[in-house]
Amino acid sequence: MAVDYTVIVVYLAGMLAMGWWGMRRARSKSEFLVAGRRLGPAMYSGTMAAIVLGGASTIGGVGLGYQYGLSGAWMVFTIGLGLLALSVFFSARIARLRVYTVSEMLDLRYGGGRAGIVSGVVMWAYTLMLAVTSTIAYATIFDVLFDMDRTLAIVLGGSIVVAYSTLGGMWSITLTDMVQFVVKTVGVLLLLLPIAVVKAGGFGAMRDELPTSYFDPLGIGGETIFTYVLIYTFGMLIGQDIWQRVFTARSDRTAKWGGTVAGSYCLAYALAGAVIGTAAKVLYPSLTSADDAFATIVKDELPVGVRGLVLAAALAAVMSTSSGALIACATVANNDIWARLRGGRGGNAGAESGDEVRDNRLFILVMGIAVIGTAVALNNVVEALTVAYNLLVGGLLVPILGGLLWKRGTVHGALASVVVGGGSVIALMAAYGILANEPVYYGLSASLAAYVAVSLATPPTDAAVLAAWRERLAGHAPELTEHQLRTATTSP
C-alpha cells in the first residue's frame, strides 16, 4: 500500500499548493467569488462536471448499481439531465445577470429585497447541509486508506478543503476542480470501469450471473425515477452551488455550451457507475451494504498504484462537491444574510477592495469550521441531504423559475411560495417521514398554487423594476455594486 499512500499524499499536497497559487490571483471580490467571470469552455466544463459529481455520484452511484443494476444509473443520470436543462434553457440568462447569488437574482426580479432575504436563509441551510454531507464522506474514504478514526478523517479531509478554499476562493476551487475532474475521469472511467467488467468476466458473464432485472433500464421503479427528477434535476436548476459556477463563465455562450458538455459527461459517468456496481455484484454478491461496493472492488481487484489513483478519484469527487458547497454557503451567509442584517456598509462595493476579499475569506473559514463540527456530530447523511433538497426544491424552485418565465409573478407571490412550500415540506416530512416521496410532491404543488394565486391577487411588479430586470437579462446593464443592488431592489 506504500505506493497507494504516496499517490494520495501527493494528491492532497497538490490541492494545498493550488490553494496557495489561487490566493495570488484572488485580488477582488469578483476574482474571489466567481473567478473574475472569465473561465473559458474547457475549464468551465471540467469544473462544472466536478462539482455536480461528488461522493454520492461516485460511491453512491456504484452502490445503486450494486443494488439495482443498470437502472441504478438514474440518480446520477437525472443530475446530468438537470445540468443539461440548466445549460440549454437558463444558463445564458443567468450569466448575463452578473450577480453573485440566487437571492440577488430574486431581488432584481421582484424588487423590495424581501424575497431575497427569505430565500437566502433557505439557500444557506441547503448549501450548509450539502457541505456537511460531502464532508462526512471523508470518513469512508480515509477509513479505506488508513483505517482512520471517523472524527479524525472528517477533520483531516475537511481541513484541507477549508484551507485551499479560504486561501484562494473560487480560483483555488476552480484549479483544484480541474485536477479532480482529470483524476476522476482517469480513475473511474478509464481504469476502474474496464477493470471491473473484465474481472467480472465480461458483460456476457454478468448477464448469466445476475437476474434479468439488473439489466432492465426501469428496474429501480418509476416512482423512484420520478422522485429523482423532482429532487435532482430540478435541484440542479436552482442551487447556489451550481449558479455560482455559471457566474464564472466568461460569456453566455460559454455557459450554455460548456455546461452542455459537462451535462453529457455526467450521463456517461452515471452509466459507468452503474456498470461498476453491477460487476461488483457478480464479484461480491453478499456485501452487507451496497455502499461498500466501491471500496471493496477497489481494494480487492485493482493493482498497486492504480488502486491509489482510483481512491484519489473518490477523494476528488468528494472534495469538488464539498468545496463548491462551502464557498456557496459562505457567499450566501455573507452577501445575503449578514450584509442585510448589518444594513450594509452604505459604501460603494464596486471598488472591490481587499476588505471584501478578507470578509469573504473569513466567512469561508467560519462556515468551514461549522461544517466540520456539524459533520462530526451528525450520523444520518441520507436524511440530512434529503431534508436539504426537499427544502430547496419545495421552497425555491417555483419562485426562481417563475421569476425567469412568468412576468406576472410578484414579490408577494414569491414570498408566499417560499413560506407555503417550505412549511408544507417540513410538516409533511414530520408526518410521512424524512425519506418519503410525499413531502416533495405535495410541497412543490402547494408552492406553485400559492405563487400563482397570490401573484394574481396582488398588484403586478413595478414597471421600472421589470424594465431594469429585462435590461440585465439582455446583458445590457453593467454589474451592480452592493450599494446599487440594495438601492435598486428597494420598492418605491
Side-chain angles (χ1 to χ4, degrees):
M1 288 288 288
V3 175
D4 298 325
Y5 292 159
T6 301
V7 171
I8 299 298
V9 171
V10 169
Y11 168 76
L12 294 176
M15 296 300 98
L16 292 174
M18 291 290 185
W20 182 261
W21 190 88
M23 182 177 67
R24 300 170 64 86
R25 300 198 63 169
R27 303 293 188 183
S28 67
K29 178 181 179 180
S30 177
E31 294 281 353
F32 191 81
L33 294 182
V34 290
R37 306 187 193 274
R38 52 196 176 97
L39 296 191
M43 186 167 285
Y44 178 85
S45 297
T47 57
M48 183 63 87
I51 187 176
V52 300
L53 296 174
S57 299
T58 303
I59 299 172
V62 171
L64 287 171
Y66 182 90
Q67 190 173 359
Y68 298 104
L70 298 185
S71 67
W74 273 105
M75 183 188 77
V76 184
F77 201 82
T78 56
I79 290 174
L81 291 178
L83 185 51
L84 284 172
L86 174 71
S87 301
V88 172
F89 299 112
F90 300 107
S91 63
R93 281 181 283 180
I94 293 170
R96 287 195 294 264
L97 289 174
R98 300 185 70 79
V99 294
Y100 291 100
T101 69
V102 175
S103 295
E104 288 178 2
M105 167 263 167
L106 292 173
D107 280 347
L108 286 169
R109 166 58 182 84
Y110 294 110
R114 286 167 291 179
I117 294 173
V118 177
S119 68
V121 173
V122 176
M123 191 65 76
W124 174 79
Y126 157 73
T127 53
L128 178 70
M129 294 314 300
L130 183 61
V132 166
T133 53
S134 300
T135 302
I136 291 174
Y138 296 128
T140 301
I141 298 172
F142 281 107
D143 178 59
V144 173
L145 287 172
F146 308 116
D147 192 24
M148 187 178 291
D149 174 74
R150 176 184 184 275
T151 298
L152 181 59
I154 290 173
V155 172
L156 175 61
S159 296
I160 292 172
V161 170
V162 172
Y164 72 69
S165 299
T166 301
L167 286 172
M170 186 59 82
W171 266 122
S172 293
I173 292 171
T174 296
L175 295 170
T176 55
D177 276 359
M178 278 305 297
V179 174
Q180 290 158 356
F181 171 73
V182 172
V183 171
K184 281 191 286 192
T185 301
V186 174
V188 175
L189 296 184
L190 301 184
L191 292 176
L192 182 57
L193 175 60
I195 290 173
V197 172
V198 169
K199 291 285 187 178
F203 287 104
M206 290 163 62
R207 282 187 174 276
D208 293 338
E209 290 287 333
L210 297 173
T212 57
S213 62
Y214 268 70
F215 302 91
D216 179 359
L218 303 178
I220 198 170
E223 184 178 355
T224 298
I225 295 171
F226 181 66
T227 302
Y228 284 159
V229 170
L230 282 184
I231 293 178
Y232 297 113
T233 301
F234 287 138
M236 288 295 105
L237 298 179
I238 59 175
Q240 170 68 24
D241 52 323
I242 309 302
W243 277 42
Q244 199 156 343
R245 294 310 172 95
V246 176
F247 300 150
T248 66
R250 71 183 179 198
S251 68
D252 53 6
R253 184 177 177 84
T254 296
K256 181 176 182 178
W257 295 111
T260 300
V261 171
S264 301
Y265 177 89
C266 292
L267 303 184
Y269 200 89
L271 183 59
V275 171
I276 293 167
T278 304
K281 184 67 175 180
V282 173
L283 295 168
Y284 312 99
S286 303
L287 291 178
T288 303
S289 170
D291 285 339
D292 292 337
F294 180 88
T296 303
I297 198 170
V298 169
K299 282 196 303 182
D300 295 349
E301 303 297 337
L302 299 186
V304 173
V306 174
R307 179 171 50 213
L309 182 59
V310 173
L311 286 172
L315 194 57
V318 175
M319 283 187 161
S320 57
T321 300
S322 181
S323 59
L326 176 59
I327 193 171
C329 178
T331 301
V332 171
N334 185 21
N335 292 273
D336 292 336
I337 299 176
W338 175 244
R340 297 171 194 270
L341 290 176
R342 68 181 180 177
R345 292 178 186 166
N348 190 333
E352 303 220 339
S353 65
D355 286 347
E356 286 190 295
V357 175
R358 181 200 62 198
D359 290 348
N360 282 289
R361 183 174 281 132
L362 178 62
F363 265 86
I364 291 180
L365 178 60
V366 172
M367 290 297 105
I369 293 171
V371 164
I372 292 172
T374 306
V376 169
L378 196 63
N379 288 318
N380 198 316
V381 181
V382 175
E383 289 193 357
L385 193 60
T386 300
V387 169
Y389 269 101
N390 282 352
L391 284 173
L392 177 70
V393 174
L396 294 182
L397 178 68
V398 171
I400 292 172
L401 294 190
L404 290 169
L405 299 174
W406 191 40
K407 66 179 182 179
R408 185 60 179 83
T410 68
V411 64
H412 302 290
L415 284 169
S417 180
V418 174
V419 173
V420 172
S424 297
V425 164
I426 293 172
L428 290 167
M429 283 191 294
Y432 287 95
I434 289 176
L435 299 179
N437 293 327
E438 287 83 0
V440 72
Y441 292 171
Y442 301 143
L444 188 57
S445 299
S447 177
L448 177 60
Y451 181 71
V452 173
V454 175
S455 291
L456 292 176
T458 53
T461 303
D462 184 82
V465 173
L466 285 178
W469 167 252
R470 285 192 293 269
E471 282 290 300
R472 295 196 70 81
L473 277 182
H476 297 155
E479 182 171 344
L480 290 180
T481 68
E482 181 182 340
H483 175 65
Q484 290 169 333
L485 180 64
R486 289 194 308 272
T487 302
T489 56
T490 301
S491 294

